């Protein structure tokens, strides 16, 4: 019997990286999990691997009908919905002066509208069934801009505010909504960048812990936020970044 036995969770973007680490941690704690992702093969594999505890649903989080169906199918399969982790995200990078409207729309739709649609339908169910807890995955880029990242950083800042707005509106329904803001996490999303030595070094210069996080290091904070231990944490942004956010000032230590 884990701390979440009898509980059901949705994890969007749960077929890879941070989302999958959250799925694994939920299963370990006894929850049933509905994984929503575009990766059909991986979903089928995970359904088989965790038969009885996982359903995988091909879901595009930017499509409202997909999210509505996801919530309905989760409730059908497991009898309720207690937690949701809105993790799906990616970006098409570009400098502002070069970025196409289509690439902007892709990034903002996926990272921000996808979270809005997810929260909307998860909360719609939860508010009529005793409440719940939702965690949205934003990014340190909600606070810190990056070259080629205007669309992504803007969308992630939007996710942070959407989280606060949702907490404000949903507290009356016993639904808590919080965000985690990861720094650098070793996943397929970042492997392309960090596999280039010079880029990896530039990251490490900024990150006091001098390493990327493993995806599992995001799962602990995310699960804490839905747990009873966090029963009064609502509308919060939990930065999980190895102290990266505090390195705004140049590193003078090498000169002392
Ligand atoms: N990796 C990092 O360093 C980092 C840092 C900060 C924030 N994040 C955020 O964490 C989240 C997860 O990132 P990750 O690094 O685990 O990436 P990842 O690429 O490993 O996983 C993302 C998953 O989302 C799925 N996905 C993509 N588009 C989708 C859509 N339209 N509908 C449903 N699923 C979709 C993908 O198929 C994939 O399984 C993202 O929101 C990302 O912006 C990541």
């Amino acid at each position: 019997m884990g701390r979440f036995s009898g509980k059901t969770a949705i994890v969007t973007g749960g077929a890879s990286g941070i989302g999958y680490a959250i799925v694994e941690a939920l299963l370990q704690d006894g929850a049933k999990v509905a994984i929503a992702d575009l990766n059909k093969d991986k979903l089928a594999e995970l359904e088989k691997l965790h038969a009885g505890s996982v359903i995988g649903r091909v879901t595009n989080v930017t499509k409202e009908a997909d999210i509505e169906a996801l919530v309905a199918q989760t409730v059908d399969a497991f009898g309720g919905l207690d937690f949701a982790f809105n993790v799906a995200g990616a970006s098409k990078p570009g400098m502002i002066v070069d970025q196409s409207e289509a690439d902007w729309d892709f990034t903002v739709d996926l990272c921000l509208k996808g979270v809005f649609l997810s929260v909307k339908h998860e909360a719609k169910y939860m508010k009529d069934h005793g409440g719940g807890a939702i965690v949205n995955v934003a990014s340190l880029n909600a606070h810190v801009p990056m070259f080629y990242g205007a669309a992504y950083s803007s969308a992630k800042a939007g996710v942070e505010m959407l989280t606060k707005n949702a907490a404000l509106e949903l507290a009356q329904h016993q639904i808590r909504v919080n965000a985690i803001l990861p720094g650098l996490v070793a996943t397929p999303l970042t492997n392309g960048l960090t596999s280039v030595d010079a880029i990896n070094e530039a990251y490490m210069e900024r990150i006091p812990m001098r390493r990327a996080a493993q995806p599992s290091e995001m799962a602990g904070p995310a699960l804490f936020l839905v747990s009873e231990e966090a029963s009064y944490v609502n509308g919060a942004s939990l930065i999980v970044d190895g102290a990266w956010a505090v390195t705004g000032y140049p590193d003078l230590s090498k000169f002392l």
Side-chain angles (χ1 to χ4, degrees):
M1 295 287 279
R3 65 175 166 162
F4 296 142
S5 62
K7 303 288 189 191
T8 295
I10 281 175
V11 183
T12 76
S16 175
I18 297 169
Y20 185 58
I22 290 172
V23 169
E24 282 189 306
L26 284 165
L27 291 172
Q28 200 148 26
D29 282 345
K32 308 277 193 202
V33 185
I35 307 177
D37 206 288
L38 292 175
N39 189 339
K40 193 171 167 221
D41 294 344
K42 191 75 192 174
L43 289 175
E45 185 189 317
L46 293 175
E47 237 184 24
K48 212 165 155 195
L49 183 67
H50 303 288
S53 298
V54 161
I55 59 166
R57 289 293 175 268
V58 177
T59 306
N60 183 340
V61 295
T62 69
K63 304 280 178 229
E64 185 156 21
D66 281 17
I67 299 285
E68 272 187 283
L70 167 73
V71 172
Q73 289 166 5
T74 304
V75 172
D76 255 13
F78 297 131
L81 176 63
D82 305 286
F83 310 140
F85 299 84
N86 299 317
V87 190
S91 80
K92 293 200 172 161
M95 297 286 262
I96 292 171
V97 291
D98 298 323
Q99 185 146 51
S100 69
E101 186 179 353
D103 285 359
W104 174 275
D105 285 349
F106 171 87
T107 305
V108 177
D109 274 3
L110 171 53
C111 291
L112 182 54
K113 187 173 88 170
V115 177
F116 154 64
L117 293 173
S118 301
V119 171
K120 174 180 172 181
H121 289 285
E122 293 152 0
K124 234 174 159 172
Y125 176 85
M126 289 173 178
K127 86 181 186 39
D128 296 330
H129 296 85
I134 297 173
V135 172
N136 297 325
V137 175
S139 166
L140 185 59
N141 290 122
H143 295 184
V144 181
M146 65 175 168
F147 283 98
Y148 305 99
Y152 182 78
S153 304
S154 304
K156 291 298 187 179
V159 170
E160 191 182 21
M161 181 50 77
L162 173 66
T163 301
K164 292 175 205 258
N165 218 103
L168 177 73
E169 294 182 13
L170 297 169
Q172 63 186 313
H173 301 298
Q174 286 70 55
I175 301 169
R176 295 184 299 103
V177 190
N178 292 292
I180 64 168
L181 279 60
L184 181 67
V185 188
T187 72
L189 190 76
T190 53
N191 287 347
L193 280 175
T194 51
S195 58
V196 179
D197 284 348
I199 297 179
N200 193 50
E201 269 167 39
Y203 274 114
M204 291 312 126
E205 266 177 30
R206 279 288 173 194
I207 301 173
M209 287 183 74
R210 300 281 178 253
R211 65 175 178 85
Q214 290 305 307
S216 59
E217 292 178 288
M218 299 298 125
L223 267 61
F224 160 71
L225 287 171
V226 302
S227 75
E228 268 309 298
E229 280 69 41
S231 56
Y232 202 63
V233 182
N234 203 355
S237 300
L238 182 53
I239 296 175
V240 191
D241 72 340
W244 187 0
V246 301
T247 56
Y249 204 73
D251 177 4
L252 302 181
S253 62
K254 57 184 101 152
F255 304 110
L256 299 175

